[in-house]
Amino acid sequence: GAGMLAKMDYLSRRVALSGLFLTAFRQPAAAGTSSLPQGLSSTGDGNDSLQLPALQSGQRRLYLVRHGETDWNVQKRVQGRTDKPLNDNGREQASKLSRSLVNVPFGLIASSPLKRAALTARTVQKAHPSADFVTDERFKEMCFGELEGRKLDDLKYGAMYREIVGRWASGDTAARWPGAGGESIQDVADRGMSGFRSLGLIGEGSSDLVKRCPKYVLVVAHGRFNKALIASLQ
C-alpha cells in the first residue's frame, strides 16, 4: 500500500451536493513505510503543508482514513469483517497520524467499530478531546465471505478475487463474494453513504443534520470501504 502522509495518495474534491471536500489518507500496509516528514501537520485552513484549499462559507471537509497495520496486513490475508487488532507498527502509525492532524479543528470523529479502526480513531481523538466521537456499524469493512482469512496468492482464492473484481469493473457492481455474508461493492457504498447522511456530511443543505454537521470531520474506516465511498462521492 501507499505510505502514510509522506507517500499518501490524497485527493481534495468538491462534491456539488453539499460543498463537501474529501481528503483521503491511506495508512501503509507494510512495516517500514510509515516515516513522516519533520513538521508535517495540517491546520485545515488551506495554508498548511498538505496544501489543501481553504474552505468557503457553508463548506466542510471530510478526512477519510484507513486504519493502521495489523498482523493480517503483514501476512497479506484478506481481513474484511474479521476483527483483528493493530500490531505495534499499527499503533505507531496511529500515533503519527494523530500528530500529523493535531491542528485540524475536528468537531466530529467517527469510526468503524472494528478494533483496528476504532483504536486508530481513539488515538487521534486524544488530541481533540472536545470533538464528538461515534462508532457506526455502517462504516465496517466489506465482508469478503469465503475469502476472509485467505491469502490471494492461493490459486483458488486469487482466481475468485480476480473474477469478482473484474465483474465490478465491467459494471456488475451487485456481484457479491461467495460465502456467508459476502457483500458487493454496491452494498458497501450504499451503507456507507447512509452513514454519511446520518452524520450530515451529505444531503440537502437546508436539512437539520447538514446544518448541525461540524466543518471538519474525521472518519476512520477500511481500505475497500474507503475506495467504495470515494468512488460514490466523485
Side-chain angles (χ1 to χ4, degrees):
M4 190 174 166
L5 298 184
K7 300 178 181 178
M8 69 183 175
D9 78 6
Y10 111 88
L11 59 90
S12 181
R13 288 195 175 94
R14 183 173 181 177
V15 179
L17 184 62
S18 61
L20 173 71
F21 278 83
L22 170 68
T23 302
F25 300 109
R26 185 177 182 190
Q27 298 268 31
T33 60
S34 59
S35 59
L36 187 68
Q38 290 295 317
L40 182 58
S41 64
S42 175
T43 63
D45 63 5
N47 297 313
D48 54 73
S49 56
L50 296 181
Q51 299 181 343
L52 301 178
L55 295 183
Q56 304 301 312
S57 176
Q59 294 180 338
R60 59 183 52 84
R61 176 164 284 132
L62 165 65
Y63 289 75
L64 183 61
V65 178
R66 178 180 180 263
H67 61 81
E69 183 185 85
T70 72
D71 287 344
W72 271 23
N73 291 140
V74 176
Q75 297 166 16
K76 301 187 183 303
R77 294 185 184 277
V78 176
Q79 204 154 211
R81 292 293 185 89
T82 307
D83 199 6
K84 294 294 180 180
L86 298 179
N87 60 20
D88 289 344
N89 190 51
R91 288 189 289 272
E92 177 62 19
Q93 289 169 352
S95 295
K96 289 183 175 182
L97 178 68
S98 179
R99 293 196 295 273
S100 75
L101 299 176
V102 69
N103 293 321
V104 181
F106 290 122
L108 173 63
I109 297 174
S111 175
S112 157
L114 296 178
K115 295 173 185 174
R116 56 193 188 270
L119 180 55
T120 302
R122 286 291 189 187
T123 302
V124 176
Q125 189 207 15
K126 290 177 182 178
H128 303 274
S130 65
D132 291 333
F133 185 91
V134 298
T135 60
D136 194 314
E137 293 285 325
R138 290 169 292 188
F139 297 159
K140 281 184 174 181
E141 179 60 300
M142 168 180 278
C143 179
F144 287 83
E146 191 177 339
L147 267 72
E148 300 226 349
R150 308 295 184 177
K151 294 185 177 183
L152 297 183
D153 57 6
D154 178 288
L155 291 179
K156 173 183 175 181
Y157 296 108
M160 186 185 298
Y161 180 88
R162 290 189 295 273
E163 177 192 351
I164 297 298
V165 172
R167 288 173 64 182
W168 295 344
S170 67
D172 184 9
T173 57
R176 292 188 171 98
W177 300 106
E183 289 185 291
S184 71
I185 197 70
Q186 192 64 55
D187 292 332
V188 175
D190 288 347
R191 63 175 166 82
M193 292 293 279
S194 172
F196 280 7
R197 290 187 186 93
S198 293
L199 296 179
L201 283 166
I202 55 177
E204 295 299 326
S206 60
S207 75
D208 288 341
L209 283 173
V210 171
K211 288 179 179 178
R212 291 198 301 267
C213 184
K215 194 170 183 179
Y216 294 91
V217 178
L218 172 69
V219 173
V220 182
H222 305 270
R224 183 64 66 177
F225 175 93
N226 289 359
K227 290 178 182 178
L229 271 292
I230 289 169
S232 296
L233 287 166
Q234 290 180 32

